[in-house]
Amino acid sequence: MGQDVSLWTTPAPDALRVTPETTVAALDTRSTPGFTGDKKAGELLLVERGAVLSALQEKLYANGRSGDTRSVLLVLQGMDTSGKGGIVRHVIGQVDPQGVDHASFGVPTAEEKAHHYLWRIKNALPKGGQMGVFDRSHYEEVLVVRVHNLVPAEVWSTRYDEINAFEKELADSGTTIVKCAMFVSLDEQKARLTERLERPDKYWKFNPNDIDERLLWPAYQEAYQAVLDKTSTEHAPWHVIPADRKWFSRLAITELLIDALERLQLDWPPPDFDIEHEKQRLARA
Ligand code: ATP
């Protein structure tokens, strides 16, 4: 039996889109905006909606193979343990990997540092027909860079406008940008970091630096607030993803991607050959 999509009382894009009232410091990270189902219902629905996402993504890929230059770009930002990796594994993992352009952005390399900060971003943009996934992104340039004063305020403060202009150009050239900021509570983060220190299969995810960053949460909150206030635009709005419940963040981002793909109104590309002729040739072959 099909799962109940109507468990969304408000469609995910509307329920999660940033508004002028969005306040990072006041977010309920355990909430499930727009969704009335519980964990069981959410997990069952994810399987079903994952199949819908996969079918839409196949159409995007097929069109790309036929010359369509449009693409979708998922931008994931979030503090350590907010579940960005889980989105890649459990949401993007539902689609054909041939159609995915994945990129993650860590501390810039010497080569990257020698270029403008958008250089490495532009090099990683999805090609036509691809679904791009950025695990961290150009927003690090106004998050970690701002919090740690890696460049003077006069420099990072100009980047919001620059990023908006860059994304506008990207959207105008046919990339649908889906921006998700994932938030976990400090308590949930502590539980997840604790697990990483207790389970041999999780040690690899632990980075001692995560504890230092955690202590800077108030400064990060301010930096995230500025990002949401200054860079949520018509062409590239931000969505706030409460991420204490992993099942919800995965379902929510699946819905956001389905919505982005549906808005492209994709059809299967028409054949560039004569079907009857090819059938006859095949019959004789
Ligand atoms: P994650 O923390 O995302 O799971 P990780 O611990 O494996 O990943 P990397 O992906 O190698 O580490 O790097 C992530 C780190 O790089 C984060 O601490 C992030 O803030 C930092 N970073 C990303 N972009 C920049 C930048 N432009 N300048 C400085 N630091 C950056």
Side-chain angles (χ1 to χ4, degrees), residues 80 84 104-108 120 135-137 140-141 144-145 150 207 209-210 213 220:
D80 300 309
K84 300 184 298 296
S104 58
F105 298 98
V107 178
R120 64 175 181 166
D135 181 343
R136 302 184 187 271
S137 67
E140 292 291 325
E141 302 292 337
V144 67
V145 168
L150 299 181
N207 179 344
N209 185 47
D210 294 350
E213 292 302 279
Y220 270 106

